Amino acid sequence: MFKGFGRSQRASAAAVEQPALDIKPRHIGLIMDGNGRWAQKRGLPRIAGHHAGMLAMREAIRACDDFGIECVTLYAFSTENWKRPPAEVDYLMRLPEQFFRSEIDELVRRNAQIRFIGDISRLPAHTQETVRRAIQCTQHNTGMIVNFALNYGGRMEIVAAMERYAREVMEGRATVGQLTEAACDRYLDTAGLPPLDLVIRTSGEIRLSNFLLWQAAYAELWFTDVLWPDFTREDLYQAICDYAKRKRRFGAIE
Ligand code: IPE
Ligand code: IPE
Ligand code: MG
């Protein structure tokens, strides 16, 4: 169902300073879409939208932590985004370095643990280096998990999981006929993360675009017309409040 919220309907800033969140998602997935349109509306190049999107992402991470969310997965670059013009891809590959250079101290202070899902090995060497350093700096932290989906695609993740399983069978470490859904979870990039409870997508597009396909099987979905660079902690709070009102039946009856 489409859920759009205009500015006037948004929660007040005061309410989100001290949110009373009884029921909240453990793991939120954010499809941060609309950077290009945000820039276009202002007569700016698309990369200006990506820069503004990075600032919105910083605020979203802070808000998730302040709201006591255990894990947030941020869709930063999909396996399909390589189809974009090389200059845009190049800018997007440099953004992690820009982001961590300014944010790593605060993330460490917040005790956040940085993780990545997706095929990191196909990123430019400098991006891989940034990823490695960010993981290393925060690997012993025990607070919120900040999980970046970078060169990530849900289908690719499932294919890689199947390959891992096949290899284990070939090596005699797994047996055909005994694979369970829970065991499948352990072959995925998200192994060990809390179950995905809520997926938020900005910019008015109503699709998953290859994001956490397996994990989203029973996640709640929340869509807004707000373009990602305009997404605020009030919007996040609104999404979480909405989530709290949902009836999650998982196929059963009440
Ligand atoms: C999302 O914004 C960021 C990435 C996909 C990297 P877009 O760049 O897709 O913005 P729109 O959808 O063109 O407005
Ligand atoms: C999804 O947005 C990917 C990210 C937000 C990183 P896209 O803009 O790439 O998705 P489509 O093309 O609208 O499906
Ligand atoms: Mg888009």
Side-chain angles (χ1 to χ4, degrees):
M1 187 174 64
F2 182 76
K3 284 274 175 190
F5 287 92
R7 287 261 168 212
S8 59
Q9 288 168 280
R10 291 181 181 186
S12 75
V16 297
E17 288 301 323
Q18 292 289 325
L21 299 168
D22 299 331
I23 302 169
K24 60 189 172 197
R26 293 179 65 195
H27 182 174
I28 298 178
L30 288 175
I31 305 178
M32 308 180 288
D33 196 16
N35 294 350
R37 278 163 282 169
W38 182 92
Q40 199 177 21
K41 266 175 43 182
R42 288 162 178 76
L44 298 169
R46 290 180 59 84
I47 58 169
H50 294 312
H51 185 265
M54 181 184 74
L55 301 179
M57 185 177 77
R58 174 178 69 186
E59 186 56 16
I61 294 169
R62 286 176 177 161
C64 282
D65 192 31
D66 295 344
F67 294 168
I69 304 303
E70 282 175 55
C71 175
V72 60
T73 296
L74 303 134
Y75 206 6
F77 192 90
S78 77
T79 46
E80 286 71 39
N81 288 149
W82 296 106
K83 295 173 193 161
R84 296 185 179 206
E88 181 171 346
V89 169
D90 184 63
Y91 185 81
L92 288 167
M93 289 299 144
R94 289 178 195 285
L95 266 186
E97 196 190 334
Q98 239 193 86
F99 176 75
F100 288 117
R101 205 184 313 125
S102 64
E103 300 311 314
I104 195 71
D105 289 348
E106 179 175 339
L107 288 164
V108 168
R109 224 173 23 250
R110 284 179 179 269
N111 194 24
Q113 188 186 115
I114 296 162
R115 295 203 200 180
F116 287 84
I117 56 172
D119 188 356
I120 301 305
S121 73
R122 292 186 188 272
L123 301 178
H126 65 87
T127 315
Q128 290 190 43
E129 182 52 27
T130 300
V131 164
R132 262 195 297 275
R133 271 190 282 132
I135 294 170
Q136 204 181 13
C137 281
T138 63
Q139 62 185 339
H140 300 300
N141 290 355
T142 54
M144 182 174 68
I145 295 169
V146 181
N147 184 37
F148 293 91
L150 195 56
N151 190 22
Y152 172 86
R155 287 183 169 190
M156 186 183 77
E157 180 191 30
I158 291 168
V159 169
M162 290 167 82
E163 292 221 338
R164 278 179 207 129
Y165 171 66
R167 195 157 299 123
E168 290 195 3
V169 170
M170 277 166 59
E171 291 166 359
R173 290 185 288 125
T175 316
V176 174
Q178 289 178 3
L179 190 59
T180 60
E181 290 184 10
C184 270
D185 272 336
R186 293 197 289 273
Y187 292 105
L188 296 169
D189 292 1
T190 49
L193 299 182
L196 182 70
D197 290 321
L198 173 63
V199 173
I200 296 173
R201 182 170 189 151
T202 56
S203 89
E205 308 296 352
I206 318 291
R207 56 176 168 262
L208 288 175
S209 298
N210 210 5
F211 184 57
L212 298 175
L213 298 180
W214 170 279
Q215 298 85 344
Y218 258 110
E220 296 298 322
L221 310 178
W222 195 84
F223 299 101
T224 173
D225 283 340
V226 172
L227 300 174
W228 177 253
D230 291 329
F231 189 83
T232 63
R233 71 169 53 212
E234 285 80 13
D235 296 308
L236 181 71
Y237 182 69
Q238 193 74 70
I240 296 172
C241 290
D242 227 47
Y243 169 86
K245 287 186 223 140
R246 305 267 181 103
K247 291 266 178 291
R248 302 187 81 191
R249 285 182 289 273
F250 299 99
I253 54 171
E254 282 175 70

